Amino acid sequence: MTDKRTLLLLPGDGIGPEVMGEVEKILDWFNTHRGLGFTWEEGLIGGACYDAHGVALTDATVDRAKQVDATLLGAVGGPKWDGVAYEHRPEAGLLRIRKELDLFANLRPAICFDALTEASSLKPDLVAGLDILIVRELTGGVYFGEPRGIEDLGGGERRGVNTQVYTTSEIRRLARVGYELARKRGGKVTSAEKSNVMESGLLWRQEAEKLHKEEYADLAYENMLADACAMQLVRAPKQFDVIITDNLFGDILSDEASMLTGSLGMLPSASLGEVNPATGKPFALYEPVHGSAPDIAGQGIANPLATVMSFAMALRYSFDLGEEADRLEAAVKHVLAEGLRTGDIMQPGMRQVGTLQMGEAIRGALQASL
Ligand code: IPM
Ligand code: MG
């Protein structure tokens, strides 16, 4: 274990390198002005890694990710790699790093900033003050279940198979993360599954309920079918505090929740595993919820805020620097309140800026916070 704070940055594809560039400048700011002593190295993932090495993630990068305190990722994917073999597609790199580090708990907050209430596709009163957290299982379920594959049945007929599978311990460790976080937040947990159709959903529900009764009876708890949860998220999103759910439903519900906040470009995420013996900290990967946005890549107009706030989550969950995380999140709120907007969250009367100006404004607000 060391006193140094180490990071691995994986900018990835599309707008990934642009938004990660702003995080690097913010890291510099924290080193210079807060003496935090961050050191970082860069690695390749996704299409960028495929172009260099013929795979979406190398063993060497996986090893580095296991040695550092936290890994920050930009985004992966793009049409350039559409023709690549399925097992080497850019997304495979992301799935592999999640699995290799056993990052079973994916925290996806959906927070509606006051300044962006009008940017939501829902009526402002439905989303004003929204602060919910989706805790998505990330290393199991149908994403990784066996058997899987495409089988040739002959005569032009094929069969595609994936397996939805969960065990008691997988469900319990994920639910525990949700309950622990709910205790520090609004004190309510909703477990979303399809127990009316799937045995794995029934098990999910039973195990989540049991753990609640055994250890978390102080919290409000409810089960909700995942489809009903999707509906309630747009009907009355503020009824939720923490939603615990599986890998696939979490993927879908978190995209839905993100739109409530006005833009996918605003949402950070943290993926956490067990404590890493090499660092004494949980295995951790931080990434924006948005993708690589190849349509706007390289134009300097991408919104860096989700990646910046992913770094804020790293400050909080990997480095136990909650006050510095608050400082960075306050800086983001400040620039939004001042009317600065990237194109994706632009509204009448606001000032449209590019990636670099947004980063610069955040560092200005950080400076003003001293
Ligand atoms: C996400 C993404 C990924 C997922 C893709 C890129 C593999 O949609 O992080 O939500 O499905 O998990
Ligand atoms: Mg997704």
Side-chain angles (χ1 to χ4, degrees):
M1 278 183 220
T2 82
D3 306 334
K4 278 196 284 164
R5 297 186 171 95
T6 57
L7 289 153
L8 174 64
L9 308 187
L10 302 175
D13 308 321
I15 60 170
E18 296 165 62
V19 294
M20 192 63 81
E22 295 314 302
V23 171
E24 282 193 69
K25 292 179 215 163
I26 288 171
L27 278 163
D28 273 330
W29 186 90
F30 275 102
N31 279 352
T32 307
H33 299 282
R34 306 299 299 155
L36 294 184
F38 285 112
T39 57
W40 63 92
E41 57 194 283
E42 278 200 29
L44 295 174
I45 193 167
C49 187
Y50 178 81
D51 288 345
H53 302 291
V55 288
L57 183 67
T58 63
D59 295 347
T61 303
V62 170
D63 285 344
R64 291 311 303 150
K66 288 180 178 168
Q67 297 305 318
V68 294
D69 295 324
T71 298
L72 299 189
L73 184 132
V76 296
K80 181 178 175 198
W81 301 282
D82 278 352
V84 166
Y86 196 66
E87 67 271 27
H88 294 315
R89 71 200 187 285
E91 290 79 3
L94 180 57
L95 296 175
R96 181 172 173 211
I97 197 164
R98 289 173 178 173
K99 195 68 177 174
E100 291 270 4
L101 304 187
D102 194 18
L103 304 170
F104 66 88
N106 182 215
L107 280 44
R108 296 193 163 183
I111 295 169
C112 191
F113 291 94
D114 290 342
L116 293 184
T117 309
E118 298 287 336
S120 172
S121 45
L122 293 195
K123 295 193 191 81
D125 59 307
L126 285 183
V127 294
L130 181 76
D131 179 359
I132 62 185
L133 176 66
I134 296 185
V135 181
R136 166 190 177 193
E137 202 288 327
L138 202 61
T139 50
V142 75
Y143 272 58
F144 295 97
E146 299 281 347
R148 65 184 300 159
I150 299 179
E151 206 182 328
D152 203 334
L153 301 178
E157 189 78 353
R158 298 192 298 160
R159 197 166 82 110
V161 180
N162 289 93
T163 303
Q164 167 78 333
V165 53
Y166 274 107
T167 61
T168 298
S169 45
E170 284 178 305
I171 299 166
R172 281 177 73 94
R173 71 177 183 171
L174 186 278
R176 186 179 297 286
V177 170
Y179 292 134
E180 290 291 334
L181 289 166
R183 265 199 188 138
K184 297 183 194 147
R185 300 171 36 100
K188 180 179 175 189
V189 172
T190 305
S191 173
E193 28 61 12
K194 282 289 285 179
S195 56
N196 56 344
V197 181
M198 298 155 89
E199 283 77 3
S200 59
L202 181 60
L203 185 76
W204 183 283
R205 174 178 170 165
Q206 290 170 348
E207 296 295 351
E209 255 169 21
K210 184 160 171 274
L211 183 62
H212 173 252
K213 279 211 191 70
E214 285 168 3
E215 296 180 40
Y216 298 96
D218 54 305
L219 299 173
Y221 172 82
E222 67 182 339
N223 299 108
M224 203 178 271
L225 296 175
D227 54 344
C229 183
M231 181 273 287
Q232 291 295 342
L233 268 174
V234 287
R235 195 188 73 90
K238 284 190 254 179
Q239 71 184 283
F240 296 106
D241 176 26
V242 174
I243 297 174
I244 56 174
T245 191
D246 77 13
N247 204 342
L248 182 60
F249 297 138
D251 181 44
I252 296 166
L253 294 175
S254 63
D255 260 27
E256 188 189 2
S258 72
M259 220 33 230
L260 305 174
T261 70
S263 166
L264 204 51
M266 296 298 300
L267 288 196
S269 81
S271 303
L272 305 175
E274 309 285 359
V275 171
N276 178 355
T279 63
K281 300 185 176 75
F283 285 104
L285 174 79
Y286 299 87
E287 56 176 313
V289 172
H290 64 68
S292 60
D295 52 322
I296 61 160
Q299 297 175 30
I301 59 173
N303 183 350
L305 295 180
T307 312
V308 168
M309 287 190 291
S310 297
F311 173 57
M313 291 186 88
L315 289 170
R316 181 167 282 122
Y317 293 109
S318 285
F319 298 106
D320 204 17
L321 292 167
E323 280 178 25
E324 302 299 342
D326 290 345
R327 181 191 302 279
L328 183 51
E329 286 164 355
V332 169
K333 283 188 192 137
H334 182 84
V335 299
L336 291 173
E338 294 227 295
L340 264 60
R341 299 284 188 275
T342 42
D344 58 313
I345 50 174
M346 185 55 193
Q347 290 165 286
M350 301 292 145
R351 188 154 75 86
Q352 189 161 339
V353 297
T355 312
L356 296 180
Q357 293 109 299
M358 187 57 101
E360 197 178 309
I362 291 167
R363 295 193 304 282
L366 284 171
Q367 197 68 36
S369 77
L370 294 177

